[in-house]
Amino acid sequence: APGSQNGYDNSGQRTGDPTWGSDPTAVPRTLDVIRFIADNVGGMIDVLELVNEPTAFVQSIGDVLSGFWQDGYQVVRNATGSELKVMIMDGFLGVQVSEQGLA
C-alpha cells in the first residue's frame, strides 16, 4: 500500500515510519486499486485480501484500519456482488483485541 501498511519489506517498502494511515491520499488510493482489481480480476479469483499484514499496533495505521476494512469490503461488494470473498487480517492484535475493536 502507498507509504507502507506495516513498514516491513513484504509491504514493498521497508521503513521505520510507515505512513499509509497518516497520508490522507494513501487509503483512498488503496481503495481505488482494490476497486480496479475487483472489477478486472474478480471473476478469476476466489478471495481478495484488502491489504497484506497491516500493523494495527502502529497508531496511525490502527486509527484508520477499521474504517478501511469496512470501505474496502463495500468496494468489493459493489464491484462483484457477493461472488468474491473478502479477507482481512487481525493487524497483529489477535482475535480477542480485534473483536473488541481498535479504538
Side-chain angles (χ1 to χ4, degrees):
S4 180
Q5 73 278 15
N6 60 26
Y8 303 126
D9 56 355
N10 63 7
S11 76
Q13 179 182 357
R14 188 163 183 74
T15 177
D17 184 28
T19 61
W20 177 74
S22 58
D23 177 346
T25 65
V27 171
R29 201 166 133 211
T30 305
L31 291 169
D32 287 342
V33 170
I34 291 169
R35 184 177 298 104
F36 179 84
I37 292 169
D39 282 340
N40 291 283
V41 191
M44 295 183 260
I45 59 175
D46 294 323
V47 180
L48 178 60
E49 184 177 23
L50 297 179
V51 68
N52 181 51
E53 299 183 346
T55 51
F57 56 84
V58 173
Q59 185 174 356
S60 64
I61 293 170
D63 287 349
V64 301
L65 198 52
S66 180
F68 169 74
W69 282 332
Q70 293 173 34
D71 293 344
Y73 180 85
Q74 200 56 52
V75 162
V76 173
R77 287 292 155 257
N78 290 343
T80 66
S82 60
E83 312 262 327
L84 185 60
K85 292 176 182 70
V86 178
M87 181 170 44
I88 62 170
M89 197 260 190
D90 66 5
F92 297 103
L93 295 178
V95 175
Q96 187 176 24
V97 174
S98 295
E99 286 177 349
Q100 296 170 4
L102 299 174

